[in-house]
Amino acid sequence: MVGEQGRVTGTVGPGLVGEVMVRVRGGAEAFLAYAVEPGERIERGALVVVMEYQPPRTVYVTAAYA
């Protein structure tokens, strides 16, 4: 999971629980998402990289292209 790329489907930011779609197990699944960097805001549609995974459905992400 760590190192995989995903796309933001719900804005990730301070005070928000975002959502990202990540390709896993031959499909794409939704995960709750938080920004790795405090205060970072990642808008819907942005490409992100999973930096940390907390099972079962939570990931910490950063923008793939900052």
Side-chain angles (χ1 to χ4, degrees):
M1 177 65 69
V2 173
E4 295 291 328
Q5 290 188 342
R7 185 152 315 266
V8 175
T9 54
T11 301
V12 177
L16 300 173
V17 178
E19 181 184 77
V20 298
M21 294 294 290
V22 180
R23 289 183 174 263
V24 291
R25 296 183 276 274
E29 297 183 13
F31 292 85
L32 300 177
Y34 296 92
V36 169
E37 296 294 327
E40 183 178 16
R41 184 178 180 91
I42 307 171
E43 297 296 334
R44 194 171 170 203
L47 194 61
V48 293
V49 177
V50 176
M51 303 301 287
E52 184 177 334
Y53 170 60
Q54 292 184 353
R57 310 293 308 167
T58 302
V59 292
Y60 287 79
V61 298
T62 190
Y65 305 105

